[in-house]
Amino acid sequence: MFTGLVEEIGTVERIIKGAKSAKITIRAHDVLDNLKLGDSISTNGVCLTVVDFNNNYFTVDVMAETIRRSNLKNLSIGSSVNLERALQLNSRLGGHIVSGHIDGIGVIEKYKTEDNAVWITIDTSPELLKYIVEKGSIAIDGVSLTVAYVDEKSFKVSIIPHTKDATSLLKNKIGDEVNLECDIVGKYIEKFLGLKEDKSNSKGIDLDFLACLLYTSDAADEGLGV
């Protein structure tokens, strides 16, 4: 698990491509402290396992599924990546709970400067937007941010100067892809309540559904069962 608080910006030094996978070597400094083989490092928000390292770099294997679902497929020599080591339980949780498991891809649509902040508009799919809540949390390329606006097509975040300097977010150009991980809470609630969309019956939650829940609750309270 991670917090979405980036520790440093790493630089891609080598990429060895397989048929569908890749082995990536990243130059870094801070995240190498007390590093061990098998440790996890969030790389642009993707949880990757260290398979080799020295005093200047670490190497990770990237499987085909990760290549398909993330923007790691777009990396080249010299690319900047956000890096964070796994959360320690004796540390402050300054961001939010981030698993390092990407939900999907967003596309940078617009930048706008407002005083000391920069607004970023990101387009993404309806499948992801249903989990994105105004004033909720989202991880963009591994950076924990607060959603400031959301509609049926896109969402916006506003970043402060520190985030601008400490992450690679503003190194992206209009049209570039970014990794998105939605707040984990909403996904688990959906799973527990069985609210996943059923294509054969898209009725969803309505007044009849809520009335049924109320009846079930009342019956249980009275020991009647259903």
Side-chain angles (χ1 to χ4, degrees):
M1 304 297 288
F2 306 91
T3 67
L5 299 183
V6 173
E7 294 186 85
E8 69 172 313
I9 300 174
T11 303
V12 175
E13 186 157 295
R14 184 168 66 245
I15 301 175
I16 301 175
K17 293 186 176 180
K20 296 182 179 180
S21 60
K23 186 183 291 287
I24 301 177
T25 298
I26 298 170
R27 180 170 290 277
H29 180 267
D30 294 350
V31 299
L32 300 176
D33 185 37
N34 292 322
L35 190 65
K36 302 183 298 296
L37 286 179
D39 281 355
S40 297
I41 294 182
S42 171
T43 305
N44 268 7
V46 181
C47 178
L48 297 175
T49 300
V50 175
V51 298
D52 189 23
F53 70 95
N54 68 10
N55 293 329
N56 300 304
Y57 70 79
F58 69 94
T59 299
V60 292
D61 284 322
V62 186
M63 62 184 177
E65 173 70 358
T66 304
I67 293 289
R68 284 191 293 268
R69 286 182 173 265
S70 74
N71 67 5
L72 298 186
K73 62 182 174 290
N74 302 325
L75 295 179
S76 58
I77 305 302
S79 291
S80 297
V81 288
N82 296 317
L83 302 176
E84 181 193 353
R85 290 168 293 183
L87 170 67
Q88 293 182 316
L89 293 180
N90 62 350
S91 300
R92 293 187 179 91
L93 182 60
H96 73 283
I97 296 175
V98 178
S99 70
H101 303 154
I102 301 304
D103 290 308
I105 292 292
V107 177
I108 302 290
E109 195 271 329
K110 183 180 180 181
Y111 290 113
K112 180 182 178 182
T113 301
E114 183 182 33
D115 198 7
N116 67 338
V118 177
W119 285 79
I120 308 176
T121 301
I122 298 175
D123 290 348
T124 192
S125 65
E127 289 76 18
L128 266 66
L129 284 167
K130 68 178 181 178
Y131 299 118
I132 300 174
V133 179
E134 187 170 330
K135 302 307 177 185
S137 297
I138 190 164
I140 304 174
D141 274 354
V143 183
S144 174
L145 293 165
T146 300
V147 178
Y149 169 88
V150 62
D151 59 29
E152 66 281 353
K153 179 177 178 290
S154 62
F155 69 95
K156 299 179 183 181
V157 294
S158 182
I159 67 172
I160 59 174
H162 172 77
T163 305
K164 171 185 175 182
D165 296 336
T167 74
S168 66
L169 281 180
L170 293 191
K171 295 180 183 291
N172 291 305
K173 303 184 295 295
I174 303 300
D176 280 355
E177 294 182 333
V178 290
N179 294 324
L180 301 178
E181 182 184 335
C182 305
D183 193 341
I184 195 170
V185 175
K187 291 178 284 185
Y188 276 100
I189 290 174
E190 178 185 66
K191 180 70 174 181
F192 292 152
L193 295 182
L195 300 179
K196 203 79 170 177
E197 182 178 359
D198 183 352
K199 296 185 183 302
S200 64
N201 180 12
S202 59
K203 187 176 181 181
I205 297 177
D206 57 15
L207 291 176
D208 290 338
F209 176 82
L210 294 175
C212 181
L213 284 182
L214 181 60
Y215 169 76
T216 301
S217 176
D218 289 345
D221 288 344
E222 295 173 10
L224 300 178
V226 291

